[in-house]
């Protein structure tokens, strides 16, 4: 299965991506995760990306497209993948189409997660993750047993720089201006499936499977 997950920040794409990887044995390819790792390692792409990420803006297309092109060429992505957070602009979608047409592939489905703005702000502001193993928590919905400490590995929980209140609104604005046009783009291609992203993640996953004809 070759699936694209679309939706605003905080819509639950990452959670659904992880469930999909288990179901289809296909890798989750998250440009956000890859960029955060690149920043941590201080690579060239990381250095190009970090200021944009911190400000809640999109990293320039050429940087992200380069990263994805390399990632999709690796052997584990040949049979299928779950794209989480890419494409985020029409330019990126066109670049992806170019990569696919060269290799004769096509996307099976684009899942568009719909969540009202007022829910998104609370979801993002309460998000925490483990500084070591990356496990995700939420202060209201899935709090760790001990405040600030990862249940899984005991390391310190942190808040992503761009999950701070002052950056969240910026990210939502950027989504509306630069990423939301992809909804029409993929609708015209006939591959868009709308998913109601409000509610329990297991119920949402049922909708996802139904949308994929499973
Ligand atoms: P995410 O973890 O998907 O919320 O991404 C975190 C940040 O990484 C975004 O706010 C952007 O700054 C950057 N980013 C991730 N994916 C992309 C992309 N496809 N295009 C541009 N910037 C991206």
């Amino acid at each position: 299965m070759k699936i694209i997950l679309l939706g605003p920040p905080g819509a639950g794409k990452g959670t659904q991506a992880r469930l999909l990887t288990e179901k289809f044995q296909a890798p989750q390819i998250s440009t956000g995760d890859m960029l955060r790792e690149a920043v941590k390692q201080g690579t060239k792409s990381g250095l190009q990306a970090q200021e944009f990420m911190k400000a809640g803006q999109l990293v320039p297309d050429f940087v992200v497209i380069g990263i994805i092109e390399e990632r999709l060429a690796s052997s584990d992505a040949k049979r299928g993948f779950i794209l989480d957070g890419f494409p985020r602009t029409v330019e990126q979608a066109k670049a992806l189409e170019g990569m696919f047409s060269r290799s004769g592939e096509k996307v099976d489905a684009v899942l568009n997660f719909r969540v009202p703005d007022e829910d998104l702000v609370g979801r993002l502001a309460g998000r925490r993750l483990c500084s070591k193993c990356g496990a995700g928590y939420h202060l209201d919905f899935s709090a760790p047993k001990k405040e600030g400490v990862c249940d899984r590995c005991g390391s310190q929980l942190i808040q992503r720089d761009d999950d701070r209140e002052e950056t969240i609104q910026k990210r939502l604005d950027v989504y509306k201006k630069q990423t939301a046009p992809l909804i029409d783009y993929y609708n015209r291609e006939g591959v868009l499936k709308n998913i109601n992203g409000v509610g329990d993640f297991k119920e949402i996953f049922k909708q996802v499977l139904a949308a994929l004809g499973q």
Side-chain angles (χ1 to χ4, degrees):
M1 276 276 188
K2 298 185 174 74
I3 301 168
I4 293 175
L5 305 186
L6 201 59
K13 300 186 295 294
T15 304
Q16 296 299 319
R18 280 185 283 281
L19 297 171
L20 284 165
T21 58
E22 279 168 31
K23 171 85 184 161
F24 296 112
Q25 303 295 310
Q28 170 188 8
I29 299 183
S30 155
T31 39
D33 286 349
M34 289 161 80
L35 288 165
R36 275 185 290 279
E37 187 56 31
V39 170
K40 214 158 128 190
Q41 303 291 336
T43 65
K44 189 170 165 218
S45 329
L47 294 174
Q48 287 166 322
Q50 65 186 359
E51 290 311 315
F52 295 98
M53 294 174 78
K54 215 168 168 183
Q57 288 169 345
L58 293 187
V59 172
D61 286 333
F62 79 92
V63 178
V64 190
I65 291 168
I67 288 178
I68 277 288
E69 203 155 16
E70 201 175 301
R71 181 66 186 85
L72 290 183
S74 48
S75 57
D76 70 329
K78 284 292 151 216
R79 279 186 20 244
F81 46 75
I82 319 296
L83 278 181
D84 164 14
F86 182 95
R88 256 174 155 108
T89 63
V90 171
E91 200 57 39
Q92 292 176 18
K94 288 186 177 158
L96 186 64
E97 222 171 280
M99 292 174 220
F100 283 162
S101 67
R102 284 196 290 280
S103 58
E105 295 169 288
K106 69 177 200 29
V107 170
D108 292 295
V110 178
L111 303 175
N112 177 37
F113 293 89
R114 291 158 40 138
V115 177
D117 276 8
E118 53 273 26
D119 292 17
L120 294 172
V121 176
R123 286 190 189 191
L124 290 166
R127 215 154 64 161
R128 297 292 181 273
L129 58 115
C130 175
S131 53
K132 192 154 175 227
C133 74
Y137 297 87
H138 193 282
L139 298 183
D140 301 325
F141 315 125
S142 55
K145 291 197 185 83
K146 188 169 171 218
E147 199 187 317
V149 178
C150 179
D151 291 348
R152 242 200 256 167
C153 74
S155 302
Q156 192 195 359
L157 299 186
I158 52 167
Q159 183 177 36
R160 268 170 55 171
D161 273 350
D162 58 354
D163 278 347
R164 294 179 196 283
E165 302 251 13
E166 59 275 20
T167 316
I168 290 175
Q169 197 51 52
K170 173 82 204 160
R171 288 167 68 203
L172 295 178
D173 292 346
V174 164
Y175 167 79
K176 280 184 196 147
K177 279 203 198 87
Q178 295 180 266
T179 307
L182 289 177
I183 298 171
D184 274 350
Y185 180 92
Y186 284 118
N187 208 5
R188 280 197 299 271
E189 305 269 312
V191 285
L192 191 86
K193 314 271 182 199
N194 286 311
I195 306 287
N196 173 10
V198 180
D200 179 62
F201 73 94
K202 291 188 194 121
E203 291 303 317
I204 296 170
F205 192 55
K206 283 186 192 157
Q207 278 186 68
V208 164
L209 293 180
L212 296 172
Q214 300 282 317

